Amino acid sequence: MSLIPSFFGNRRSNIFDPFSLDTWDPFEGFPFSSAVANFPSSAGETSAVANARIDWKETPEAHLFKVDVPGLKKEEVKVEVEDGSILQISGERHKEQEEKNDKWHHIERSSGKFLRRFRLPENAKLEQVKAAMENGVLTVTVPKEEVKKPEVKAIDVSG
């Protein structure tokens, strides 16, 4: 049952459950929609977990991505490099099994898929990407190529 009428088709909405709102993609259906958005062109493929919080920090040595994925196991998360320059982080949290005798009083934890994509800069060493998970935080490390300092050669001035 929807508490807010849906004007955009078959979207779920419930003002008391912020995770029930699907992401609306205003470019959905256009041929360039996947190039514009930082998530899949069909927002229906994702849910609240899709808004997995990600920090991207650049240090002199690497690009570091920290992703909040509480409650997920490392087997439920996938890190890929696509097309030689796109870092793709995805995963899925499964719905908890309901037993016949269970009586639910409140549900806030979301389930569903998430997918985030980032175009990496040219100096990224894609063959050396590493990922580790600890305490519900996935850390993806993308090392950077060393910046070669221009060689300076002194020229004697004759006089």
Side-chain angles (χ1 to χ4, degrees):
M1 179 176 112
S2 176
L3 296 176
I4 300 174
S6 177
F7 298 106
F8 302 109
N10 192 16
R11 299 204 191 303
R12 299 180 319 244
S13 60
N14 177 336
I15 58 171
F16 300 111
D17 183 3
F19 297 119
S20 72
L21 299 173
D22 286 341
T23 307
W24 177 58
D25 181 3
F27 301 106
E28 188 173 317
F30 287 99
F32 59 87
S33 64
S34 61
V36 174
N38 194 22
F39 48 83
S41 61
S42 174
E45 296 173 11
T46 60
S47 72
V49 188
N51 296 324
R53 305 289 187 211
I54 297 182
D55 294 337
W56 177 358
K57 174 174 78 170
E58 182 176 357
T59 68
E61 299 81 29
H63 294 274
L64 298 172
F65 295 84
K66 293 202 177 245
V67 187
D68 286 343
V69 287
L72 291 183
K73 300 176 189 142
K74 67 180 184 176
E75 298 82 24
E76 296 172 316
V77 177
K78 192 184 324 184
V79 178
E80 301 171 305
V81 176
E82 184 179 278
D83 294 333
S85 66
I86 306 289
L87 176 67
Q88 180 170 299
I89 302 170
S90 61
E92 182 172 5
R93 179 176 295 134
H94 299 284
K95 201 172 194 178
E96 197 167 317
Q97 288 289 76
E98 293 184 30
E99 300 293 329
K100 284 186 177 183
N101 298 331
D102 289 348
K103 181 178 179 183
W104 292 87
H105 293 279
H106 192 77
I107 298 174
E108 284 188 359
R109 294 172 50 221
S110 61
S111 63
K113 297 178 183 180
F114 72 91
L115 172 71
R116 300 293 302 273
R117 298 166 52 116
F118 300 91
R119 182 171 303 283
L120 295 171
E122 290 181 20
N123 66 348
K125 290 183 177 179
L126 301 176
E127 64 282 348
Q128 296 179 13
V129 174
K130 293 181 182 167
M133 204 147 117
E134 185 177 342
N135 297 326
V137 178
L138 171 69
T139 302
V140 179
T141 305
V142 182
K144 292 171 26 178
E145 304 254 351
E146 289 182 33
V147 177
K148 295 181 182 176
K149 295 183 179 180
E151 188 177 309
V152 178
K153 181 179 176 186
I155 310 277
D156 288 334
V157 180
S158 59

